[in-house]
Amino acid sequence: MMLLRVAARTELISLLALLANLATVHVPWIPTLLGPLHGCAYLLVIGATVAATHRTRARLLAVVPGIGGLLALRSIRLDQLRAKNLHV
């Protein structure tokens, strides 16, 4: 879960930085550095979600670029809370 949390935040922050650079000054070295970081974080989010849960909903949410990792993480946490409440 920690890996998914870090990867999801990295994916979102790197995407926001890329979009901010594109909308403002467009410094050429920023996408050179942040593009691969964002791509790796995106793939890591998908892989970590597949490893963390078997739920189709969370796996589909992980594929959404940018915020998919955070949405998948939230879905996994809600499933865990529901499971705890059913077993109490």
Side-chain angles (χ1 to χ4, degrees):
M1 285 296 258
M2 180 69 152
L3 176 65
L4 178 56
R5 191 176 311 124
V6 171
R9 289 178 183 161
T10 304
E11 179 192 7
L12 179 62
I13 291 168
S14 64
L15 179 63
L16 292 176
L18 285 167
L19 292 175
N21 180 54
L22 184 64
T24 57
V25 293
H26 194 62
V27 178
W29 57 267
I30 290 180
T32 301
L33 293 176
L34 293 182
L37 175 69
H38 173 71
C40 289
Y42 177 64
L43 293 175
L44 194 57
V45 162
I46 295 171
T49 303
V50 169
T53 186
H54 65 280
R55 300 279 184 171
T56 305
R57 177 184 168 96
R59 289 179 174 188
L60 289 175
L61 286 172
V63 180
V64 176
I67 62 168
L70 296 174
L71 293 174
L73 190 60
R74 182 172 181 235
S75 177
I76 292 169
R77 285 183 186 157
L78 287 174
D79 287 341
Q80 289 174 346
L81 285 174
R82 285 186 193 123
K84 264 188 185 176
N85 288 336
L86 291 177
H87 294 291
V88 171

Coordinates of all heavy atoms in Angstrom, one line a residue:
M1 N 0.8 -1.2 0.0 CA 0.0 0.0 0.0 C 0.9 1.3 0.0 O 0.5 2.2 -0.6 CB -0.9 0.0 1.2 CG -2.1 -1.0 1.1 SD -3.2 -0.6 -0.2 CE -4.5 0.2 0.7
M2 N 2.0 1.2 0.7 CA 2.9 2.4 0.8 C 3.4 2.7 -0.6 O 3.5 3.9 -1.0 CB 4.0 2.1 1.7 CG 4.9 3.2 1.8 SD 4.2 4.6 2.7 CE 5.6 5.4 3.4
L3 N 3.8 1.7 -1.4 CA 4.3 1.8 -2.8 C 3.2 2.5 -3.6 O 3.5 3.4 -4.4 CB 4.7 0.5 -3.3 CG 5.1 0.5 -4.8 CD1 6.4 1.3 -4.9 CD2 5.3 -0.9 -5.3
L4 N 2.0 2.0 -3.5 CA 0.9 2.6 -4.3 C 0.6 4.1 -3.9 O 0.4 4.9 -4.8 CB -0.4 1.8 -4.1 CG -1.7 2.3 -4.8 CD1 -1.4 2.4 -6.3 CD2 -2.8 1.3 -4.5
R5 N 0.7 4.4 -2.6 CA 0.5 5.7 -2.1 C 1.5 6.7 -2.7 O 1.2 7.8 -3.2 CB 0.5 5.8 -0.6 CG 0.0 7.0 0.0 CD -0.1 7.0 1.5 NE -0.8 5.8 2.0 CZ -0.2 4.9 2.8 NH1 1.0 5.1 3.3 NH2 -0.9 3.9 3.2
V6 N 2.8 6.3 -2.6 CA 3.9 7.1 -3.1 C 3.8 7.3 -4.6 O 4.0 8.4 -5.2 CB 5.2 6.6 -2.7 CG1 6.4 7.3 -3.4 CG2 5.4 6.6 -1.2
A7 N 3.6 6.2 -5.3 CA 3.5 6.2 -6.8 C 2.3 7.1 -7.3 O 2.4 7.8 -8.2 CB 3.4 4.8 -7.4
A8 N 1.2 7.0 -6.6 CA 0.0 7.8 -7.0 C 0.3 9.3 -6.8 O -0.1 10.1 -7.7 CB -1.2 7.4 -6.2
R9 N 0.9 9.7 -5.7 CA 1.2 11.1 -5.5 C 2.2 11.6 -6.5 O 2.1 12.7 -7.0 CB 1.7 11.3 -4.1 CG 0.6 11.1 -3.1 CD 1.0 11.3 -1.6 NE -0.1 11.1 -0.7 CZ 0.1 10.8 0.5 NH1 1.3 10.7 1.1 NH2 -1.0 10.6 1.3
T10 N 3.2 10.8 -6.7 CA 4.3 11.1 -7.7 C 3.7 11.3 -9.1 O 4.0 12.3 -9.8 CB 5.4 10.1 -7.8 OG1 5.9 9.9 -6.4 CG2 6.5 10.4 -8.7
E11 N 2.8 10.4 -9.5 CA 2.1 10.5 -10.8 C 1.3 11.8 -10.9 O 1.5 12.6 -11.9 CB 1.2 9.3 -11.0 CG 0.5 9.4 -12.3 CD -0.7 8.4 -12.4 OE1 -1.0 7.7 -11.4 OE2 -1.2 8.3 -13.5
L12 N 0.6 12.2 -9.9 CA -0.2 13.4 -9.9 C 0.6 14.6 -9.9 O 0.4 15.5 -10.8 CB -1.2 13.4 -8.7 CG -2.1 14.7 -8.7 CD1 -3.0 14.8 -9.9 CD2 -2.9 14.6 -7.4
I13 N 1.6 14.7 -9.1 CA 2.5 15.9 -9.0 C 3.3 16.1 -10.3 O 3.4 17.2 -10.8 CB 3.4 15.8 -7.8 CG1 2.6 15.9 -6.5 CG2 4.5 16.8 -7.8 CD1 3.3 15.6 -5.2
S14 N 3.8 15.0 -10.8 CA 4.6 15.1 -12.1 C 3.7 15.5 -13.2 O 4.1 16.4 -14.1 CB 5.3 13.8 -12.4 OG 4.3 12.8 -12.7
L15 N 2.4 15.1 -13.3 CA 1.5 15.5 -14.3 C 1.2 17.0 -14.2 O 1.1 17.7 -15.2 CB 0.2 14.6 -14.3 CG -0.8 15.0 -15.4 CD1 -0.3 14.8 -16.8 CD2 -2.1 14.2 -15.2
L16 N 0.9 17.4 -13.0 CA 0.6 18.8 -12.8 C 1.8 19.7 -13.1 O 1.6 20.8 -13.7 CB 0.2 19.1 -11.3 CG -1.1 18.5 -10.9 CD1 -1.4 18.7 -9.4 CD2 -2.3 19.0 -11.7
A17 N 3.0 19.3 -12.8 CA 4.2 20.0 -13.2 C 4.4 20.1 -14.7 O 4.7 21.1 -15.3 CB 5.4 19.4 -12.5
L18 N 4.1 19.0 -15.4 CA 4.2 19.0 -16.8 C 3.2 19.9 -17.5 O 3.5 20.6 -18.4 CB 4.0 17.5 -17.4 CG 5.2 16.6 -17.2 CD1 4.8 15.1 -17.4 CD2 6.4 17.0 -18.1
L19 N 2.0 19.8 -17.0 CA 0.9 20.7 -17.6 C 1.2 22.2 -17.2 O 0.9 23.0 -18.1 CB -0.4 20.3 -17.0 CG -0.9 18.9 -17.5 CD1 -2.2 18.5 -16.8 CD2 -1.1 18.9 -19.0
A20 N 1.7 22.5 -16.1 CA 2.0 23.9 -15.7 C 3.1 24.4 -16.6 O 3.1 25.5 -17.1 CB 2.4 23.9 -14.2
N21 N 4.1 23.6 -16.9 CA 5.2 24.0 -17.7 C 4.7 24.2 -19.2 O 5.0 25.2 -19.8 CB 6.3 22.9 -17.8 CG 7.4 23.3 -18.7 OD1 8.0 24.4 -18.5 ND2 7.8 22.4 -19.6
L22 N 3.8 23.3 -19.6 CA 3.2 23.5 -21.0 C 2.4 24.7 -21.1 O 2.4 25.4 -22.1 CB 2.4 22.2 -21.3 CG 1.8 22.1 -22.7 CD1 2.9 22.1 -23.7 CD2 0.9 20.9 -22.8
A23 N 1.6 25.1 -20.0 CA 0.7 26.2 -20.1 C 1.5 27.6 -19.9 O 0.9 28.6 -20.2 CB -0.3 26.1 -19.0
T24 N 2.7 27.5 -19.3 CA 3.4 28.8 -19.0 C 4.6 29.0 -19.9 O 4.5 29.4 -21.0 CB 3.7 28.9 -17.5 OG1 4.5 27.7 -17.2 CG2 2.5 28.9 -16.7
V25 N 5.8 28.6 -19.4 CA 7.0 29.0 -20.0 C 7.6 27.9 -21.0 O 8.4 28.2 -21.8 CB 8.1 29.3 -18.9 CG1 7.7 30.5 -18.2 CG2 8.3 28.1 -18.0
H26 N 7.2 26.7 -20.8 CA 7.6 25.6 -21.7 C 9.2 25.5 -21.7 O 9.8 25.6 -22.8 CB 7.1 25.7 -23.1 CG 7.2 24.4 -23.8 ND1 6.7 23.2 -23.4 CD2 7.9 24.1 -25.0 CE1 7.0 22.2 -24.3 NE2 7.8 22.8 -25.2
V27 N 9.7 25.3 -20.5 CA 11.2 25.0 -20.4 C 11.4 23.6 -21.0 O 10.8 22.7 -20.5 CB 11.6 25.2 -18.9 CG1 13.1 24.9 -18.8 CG2 11.3 26.5 -18.4
P28 N 12.3 23.5 -21.9 CA 12.5 22.2 -22.6 C 13.0 21.1 -21.7 O 12.7 19.9 -22.0 CB 13.5 22.5 -23.7 CG 13.8 23.9 -23.7 CD 13.1 24.5 -22.5
W29 N 13.8 21.4 -20.7 CA 14.4 20.3 -19.9 C 13.4 19.7 -18.9 O 13.6 18.6 -18.4 CB 15.7 20.7 -19.2 CG 15.5 21.9 -18.3 CD1 15.7 23.2 -18.6 CD2 15.1 21.9 -16.9 NE1 15.5 24.0 -17.5 CE2 15.1 23.2 -16.5 CE3 14.8 20.9 -16.0 CZ2 14.8 23.6 -15.2 CZ3 14.4 21.2 -14.7 CH2 14.4 22.6 -14.3
I30 N 12.3 20.4 -18.6 CA 11.3 19.9 -17.6 C 10.6 18.6 -18.1 O 10.6 17.6 -17.4 CB 10.3 21.0 -17.2 CG1 11.1 22.0 -16.3 CG2 9.2 20.4 -16.4 CD1 10.3 23.2 -15.9
P31 N 10.1 18.6 -19.3 CA 9.5 17.4 -19.8 C 10.5 16.3 -20.0 O 10.2 15.1 -19.9 CB 8.8 17.8 -21.1 CG 9.2 19.1 -21.5 CD 9.8 19.7 -20.3
T32 N 11.7 16.6 -20.3 CA 12.8 15.6 -20.5 C 13.0 14.9 -19.2 O 13.2 13.7 -19.2 CB 14.1 16.3 -20.9 OG1 13.9 17.0 -22.1 CG2 15.2 15.3 -21.1
L33 N 12.9 15.6 -18.0 CA 13.1 14.9 -16.7 C 11.8 14.4 -16.2 O 11.8 13.2 -15.7 CB 13.7 15.9 -15.7 CG 15.1 16.5 -16.0 CD1 15.4 17.5 -14.9 CD2 16.0 15.3 -15.9
L34 N 10.7 15.1 -16.3 CA 9.5 14.7 -15.6 C 8.6 13.7 -16.5 O 7.8 13.0 -15.9 CB 8.6 15.9 -15.3 CG 9.2 16.8 -14.2 CD1 8.2 18.0 -13.9 CD2 9.5 16.0 -12.9
G35 N 8.8 13.7 -17.8 CA 8.1 12.8 -18.6 C 8.3 11.3 -18.3 O 7.3 10.6 -18.0
P36 N 9.5 10.9 -18.3 CA 9.8 9.5 -17.9 C 9.4 9.2 -16.4 O 8.9 8.1 -16.1 CB 11.3 9.3 -18.1 CG 11.7 10.4 -19.1 CD 10.8 11.5 -18.8
L37 N 9.6 10.2 -15.5 CA 9.2 10.0 -14.1 C 7.7 9.7 -14.1 O 7.2 8.8 -13.4 CB 9.6 11.2 -13.3 CG 9.1 11.2 -11.8 CD1 9.8 10.1 -11.1 CD2 9.2 12.5 -11.2
H38 N 6.9 10.6 -14.8 CA 5.5 10.4 -14.8 C 5.0 9.1 -15.4 O 4.2 8.4 -14.9 CB 4.8 11.6 -15.6 CG 3.3 11.4 -15.8 ND1 2.4 11.5 -14.8 CD2 2.6 11.0 -16.9 CE1 1.2 11.2 -15.2 NE2 1.3 11.0 -16.5
G39 N 5.7 8.7 -16.5 CA 5.4 7.4 -17.1 C 5.7 6.2 -16.2 O 4.9 5.3 -16.1
C40 N 6.8 6.3 -15.6 CA 7.1 5.2 -14.6 C 6.2 5.1 -13.5 O 5.8 4.0 -13.0 CB 8.6 5.3 -14.1 SG 9.8 5.0 -15.4
A41 N 5.8 6.3 -12.9 CA 4.9 6.3 -11.8 C 3.5 5.8 -12.2 O 2.9 5.1 -11.5 CB 4.8 7.7 -11.3
Y42 N 3.1 6.1 -13.4 CA 1.8 5.6 -14.0 C 1.8 4.1 -14.1 O 0.9 3.4 -13.6 CB 1.6 6.3 -15.3 CG 0.3 5.8 -16.0 CD1 -0.9 6.1 -15.5 CD2 0.4 5.2 -17.3 CE1 -2.1 5.7 -16.2 CE2 -0.8 4.8 -17.9 CZ -2.0 5.0 -17.4 OH -3.1 4.6 -18.0
L43 N 2.9 3.5 -14.6 CA 3.0 2.1 -14.7 C 3.1 1.4 -13.4 O 2.5 0.3 -13.1 CB 4.1 1.7 -15.6 CG 4.0 2.1 -17.1 CD1 5.3 1.8 -17.8 CD2 2.8 1.4 -17.7
L44 N 3.8 2.1 -12.5 CA 3.9 1.5 -11.1 C 2.6 1.5 -10.4 O 2.3 0.6 -9.6 CB 5.0 2.4 -10.3 CG 5.5 1.8 -9.1 CD1 6.1 0.4 -9.3 CD2 6.5 2.7 -8.5
V45 N 1.8 2.6 -10.6 CA 0.5 2.6 -10.0 C -0.4 1.5 -10.5 O -1.1 0.8 -9.7 CB -0.2 4.0 -10.3 CG1 -1.7 3.9 -10.1 CG2 0.3 5.1 -9.5
I46 N -0.4 1.2 -11.7 CA -1.2 0.1 -12.3 C -0.7 -1.2 -11.7 O -1.5 -2.1 -11.3 CB -1.1 0.1 -13.8 CG1 -1.8 1.3 -14.4 CG2 -1.7 -1.2 -14.4 CD1 -1.6 1.6 -15.9
G47 N 0.6 -1.4 -11.7 CA 1.2 -2.7 -11.2 C 0.9 -2.9 -9.7 O 0.6 -4.0 -9.2
A48 N 1.1 -1.8 -8.9 CA 0.9 -1.9 -7.5 C -0.6 -2.2 -7.2 O -0.9 -2.9 -6.2 CB 1.3 -0.6 -6.8
T49 N -1.5 -1.6 -8.0 CA -2.9 -1.8 -7.8 C -3.3 -3.3 -8.1 O -4.0 -3.9 -7.3 CB -3.8 -0.9 -8.6 OG1 -3.4 0.5 -8.3 CG2 -5.2 -1.1 -8.4
V50 N -2.7 -3.8 -9.2 CA -3.0 -5.2 -9.5 C -2.5 -6.1 -8.4 O -3.1 -7.1 -8.1 CB -2.4 -5.5 -10.9 CG1 -2.4 -7.0 -11.2 CG2 -3.1 -4.8 -12.0
A51 N -1.3 -5.8 -7.9 CA -0.7 -6.6 -6.8 C -1.5 -6.5 -5.5 O -1.6 -7.4 -4.7 CB 0.7 -6.2 -6.6
A52 N -2.1 -5.3 -5.2 CA -2.8 -5.1 -4.0 C -4.2 -5.6 -3.8 O -4.6 -5.9 -2.7 CB -2.8 -3.6 -3.7
T53 N -4.9 -5.7 -5.0 CA -6.3 -6.1 -4.9 C -6.7 -6.9 -6.1 O -6.1 -6.8 -7.2 CB -7.2 -4.9 -4.7 OG1 -8.5 -5.3 -4.5 CG2 -7.1 -4.0 -6.0
H54 N -7.7 -7.7 -5.9 CA -8.3 -8.4 -7.1 C -9.6 -7.8 -7.5 O -10.2 -8.2 -8.5 CB -8.6 -9.9 -6.7 CG -9.6 -10.0 -5.6 ND1 -9.3 -9.8 -4.3 CD2 -10.9 -10.3 -5.7 CE1 -10.5 -10.0 -3.6 NE2 -11.4 -10.3 -4.4
R55 N -10.0 -6.7 -6.9 CA -11.2 -5.9 -7.3 C -11.1 -5.3 -8.7 O -10.1 -4.5 -8.9 CB -11.6 -4.9 -6.3 CG -11.8 -5.4 -4.9 CD -13.2 -6.0 -4.8 NE -13.4 -6.4 -3.4 CZ -14.6 -6.7 -3.0 NH1 -15.6 -6.7 -3.8 NH2 -14.8 -7.2 -1.8
T56 N -12.0 -5.5 -9.5 CA -12.0 -4.9 -10.9 C -12.1 -3.4 -10.8 O -11.5 -2.7 -11.6 CB -13.1 -5.5 -11.7 OG1 -13.0 -6.9 -11.7 CG2 -13.1 -5.0 -13.1
R57 N -12.9 -2.9 -9.9 CA -13.2 -1.4 -9.8 C -11.9 -0.7 -9.6 O -11.5 0.3 -10.2 CB -14.2 -1.1 -8.8 CG -14.4 0.3 -8.6 CD -15.4 0.6 -7.4 NE -15.4 1.9 -7.0 CZ -16.3 2.8 -7.4 NH1 -17.2 2.5 -8.3 NH2 -16.2 4.1 -7.0
A58 N -11.1 -1.1 -8.6 CA -9.8 -0.5 -8.3 C -8.8 -0.6 -9.4 O -8.1 0.3 -9.7 CB -9.2 -1.1 -7.0
R59 N -8.8 -1.7 -10.1 CA -7.9 -1.9 -11.2 C -8.3 -1.0 -12.4 O -7.4 -0.5 -13.0 CB -7.9 -3.4 -11.6 CG -7.2 -4.3 -10.6 CD -7.3 -5.7 -11.1 NE -6.5 -6.6 -10.2 CZ -6.2 -7.8 -10.4 NH1 -6.6 -8.4 -11.5 NH2 -5.5 -8.5 -9.5
L60 N -9.5 -0.9 -12.6 CA -9.9 0.0 -13.7 C -9.7 1.5 -13.3 O -9.3 2.3 -14.2 CB -11.4 -0.1 -14.0 CG -11.8 -1.4 -14.7 CD1 -13.3 -1.6 -14.9 CD2 -11.1 -1.5 -16.1
L61 N -9.9 1.9 -12.1 CA -9.6 3.2 -11.7 C -8.1 3.6 -11.8 O -7.7 4.7 -12.1 CB -10.0 3.5 -10.2 CG -11.5 3.6 -10.0 CD1 -11.9 3.6 -8.5 CD2 -12.1 4.8 -10.7
A62 N -7.2 2.6 -11.6 CA -5.8 2.8 -11.6 C -5.3 3.2 -13.0 O -4.3 3.8 -13.2 CB -5.0 1.6 -11.2
V63 N -6.1 2.8 -14.0 CA -5.7 3.1 -15.4 C -6.0 4.6 -15.8 O -5.4 5.1 -16.8 CB -6.4 2.2 -16.4 CG1 -6.1 2.4 -17.8 CG2 -6.1 0.7 -16.0
V64 N -6.8 5.3 -15.0 CA -7.1 6.7 -15.3 C -5.8 7.5 -15.1 O -5.3 7.5 -14.0 CB -8.2 7.2 -14.4 CG1 -8.5 8.7 -14.6 CG2 -9.5 6.4 -14.6
P65 N -5.3 8.2 -16.1 CA -4.1 9.0 -15.9 C -4.3 10.2 -14.9 O -5.3 10.8 -14.8 CB -3.8 9.6 -17.3 CG -4.6 8.8 -18.2 CD -5.8 8.3 -17.5
G66 N -3.2 10.4 -14.2 CA -3.2 11.5 -13.2 C -3.8 11.2 -11.9 O -3.0 11.1 -10.9
I67 N -5.1 11.0 -11.8 CA -5.7 10.8 -10.5 C -6.1 9.4 -10.2 O -6.7 9.0 -9.2 CB -6.9 11.7 -10.3 CG1 -8.0 11.4 -11.3 CG2 -6.5 13.2 -10.3 CD1 -9.3 12.1 -11.0
G68 N -5.9 8.5 -11.2 CA -6.3 7.1 -11.1 C -5.7 6.4 -9.9 O -6.4 5.6 -9.2
G69 N -4.5 6.7 -9.6 CA -3.9 6.0 -8.4 C -4.5 6.4 -7.1 O -4.7 5.5 -6.3
L70 N -4.8 7.7 -7.0 CA -5.5 8.1 -5.8 C -6.9 7.5 -5.7 O -7.3 7.2 -4.6 CB -5.5 9.6 -5.7 CG -4.1 10.3 -5.6 CD1 -4.3 11.8 -5.7 CD2 -3.4 9.9 -4.3
L71 N -7.6 7.5 -6.8 CA -8.9 6.9 -6.8 C -8.9 5.4 -6.5 O -9.7 4.9 -5.7 CB -9.6 7.1 -8.1 CG -9.9 8.6 -8.5 CD1 -10.5 8.7 -9.9 CD2 -10.9 9.2 -7.5
A72 N -7.9 4.7 -7.0 CA -7.8 3.3 -6.7 C -7.4 3.0 -5.3 O -8.0 2.1 -4.6 CB -6.7 2.7 -7.6
L73 N -6.6 3.9 -4.7 CA -6.2 3.8 -3.3 C -7.4 4.0 -2.4 O -7.6 3.2 -1.5 CB -5.1 4.8 -3.0 CG -4.4 4.7 -1.7 CD1 -3.7 3.4 -1.5 CD2 -3.4 5.8 -1.5
R74 N -8.2 5.0 -2.8 CA -9.5 5.2 -2.0 C -10.4 4.0 -2.1 O -11.0 3.6 -1.1 CB -10.1 6.5 -2.5 CG -11.4 6.9 -1.8 CD -11.9 8.2 -2.2 NE -13.0 8.5 -1.4 CZ -14.2 8.9 -2.0 NH1 -14.3 8.9 -3.3 NH2 -15.2 9.2 -1.2
S75 N -10.5 3.5 -3.3 CA -11.4 2.3 -3.5 C -11.0 1.1 -2.7 O -11.8 0.4 -2.0 CB -11.5 2.0 -5.0 OG -12.2 0.8 -5.2
I76 N -9.7 0.9 -2.6 CA -9.1 -0.2 -1.8 C -9.4 0.0 -0.3 O -9.8 -0.9 0.4 CB -7.6 -0.4 -2.1 CG1 -7.4 -0.9 -3.5 CG2 -7.0 -1.4 -1.1 CD1 -6.0 -0.9 -4.0
R77 N -9.2 1.2 0.1 CA -9.4 1.5 1.5 C -10.9 1.4 1.9 O -11.2 0.8 3.0 CB -9.0 3.0 1.9 CG -7.5 3.1 2.0 CD -7.2 4.5 2.3 NE -5.8 4.8 2.3 CZ -5.2 5.9 2.1 NH1 -6.0 7.0 2.0 NH2 -3.9 6.1 2.1
L78 N -11.8 1.8 1.0 CA -13.2 1.6 1.3 C -13.6 0.2 1.3 O -14.4 -0.3 2.2 CB -14.1 2.4 0.2 CG -14.1 3.9 0.3 CD1 -14.8 4.5 -0.8 CD2 -14.7 4.3 1.6
D79 N -13.1 -0.6 0.4 CA -13.3 -2.1 0.5 C -12.8 -2.7 1.8 O -13.5 -3.6 2.3 CB -12.6 -2.8 -0.7 CG -13.4 -2.5 -2.0 OD1 -14.5 -2.1 -2.0 OD2 -12.7 -2.7 -3.1
Q80 N -11.7 -2.3 2.3 CA -11.1 -2.8 3.5 C -12.0 -2.4 4.7 O -12.3 -3.2 5.6 CB -9.7 -2.3 3.7 CG -8.7 -2.9 2.8 CD -7.3 -2.3 3.0 OE1 -7.1 -1.3 3.5 NE2 -6.3 -3.0 2.4
L81 N -12.5 -1.2 4.7 CA -13.4 -0.7 5.8 C -14.7 -1.5 5.7 O -15.2 -1.9 6.8 CB -13.7 0.8 5.6 CG -12.6 1.7 6.1 CD1 -12.9 3.2 5.8 CD2 -12.3 1.5 7.5
R82 N -15.2 -1.7 4.6 CA -16.5 -2.5 4.4 C -16.3 -3.9 4.9 O -17.1 -4.5 5.6 CB -17.0 -2.5 3.0 CG -17.6 -1.2 2.6 CD -18.2 -1.3 1.2 NE -18.5 0.0 0.7 CZ -18.0 0.5 -0.5 NH1 -17.2 -0.3 -1.2 NH2 -18.3 1.7 -0.8
A83 N -15.2 -4.5 4.6 CA -14.9 -5.9 5.1 C -14.7 -5.9 6.6 O -15.2 -6.9 7.2 CB -13.6 -6.4 4.4
K84 N -14.1 -4.9 7.2 CA -14.0 -4.8 8.6 C -15.3 -4.7 9.3 O -15.6 -5.4 10.3 CB -13.1 -3.6 9.1 CG -11.7 -3.9 9.3 CD -11.0 -2.7 9.9 CE -9.6 -2.9 10.0 NZ -8.9 -1.7 10.5
N85 N -16.2 -3.9 8.8 CA -17.5 -3.7 9.4 C -18.4 -4.9 9.2 O -19.2 -5.2 10.1 CB -18.2 -2.5 8.7 CG -17.6 -1.2 9.1 OD1 -17.0 -1.1 10.2 ND2 -17.8 -0.2 8.3
L86 N -18.2 -5.7 8.2 CA -19.0 -6.9 8.0 C -18.6 -8.0 9.0 O -19.3 -8.8 9.4 CB -18.9 -7.4 6.6 CG -19.6 -6.6 5.5 CD1 -19.3 -7.1 4.2 CD2 -21.1 -6.5 5.8
H87 N -17.3 -8.0 9.4 CA -16.8 -9.0 10.3 C -16.8 -8.7 11.7 O -16.4 -9.5 12.6 CB -15.3 -9.4 9.9 CG -15.2 -10.0 8.5 ND1 -15.7 -11.3 8.2 CD2 -14.7 -9.5 7.4 CE1 -15.5 -11.5 7.0 NE2 -14.9 -10.5 6.4
V88 N -17.3 -7.5 12.1 CA -17.3 -7.1 13.5 C -18.6 -7.6 14.1 O -19.6 -7.9 13.6 CB -17.3 -5.5 13.6 CG1 -17.6 -5.1 15.0 CG2 -15.9 -5.1 13.1

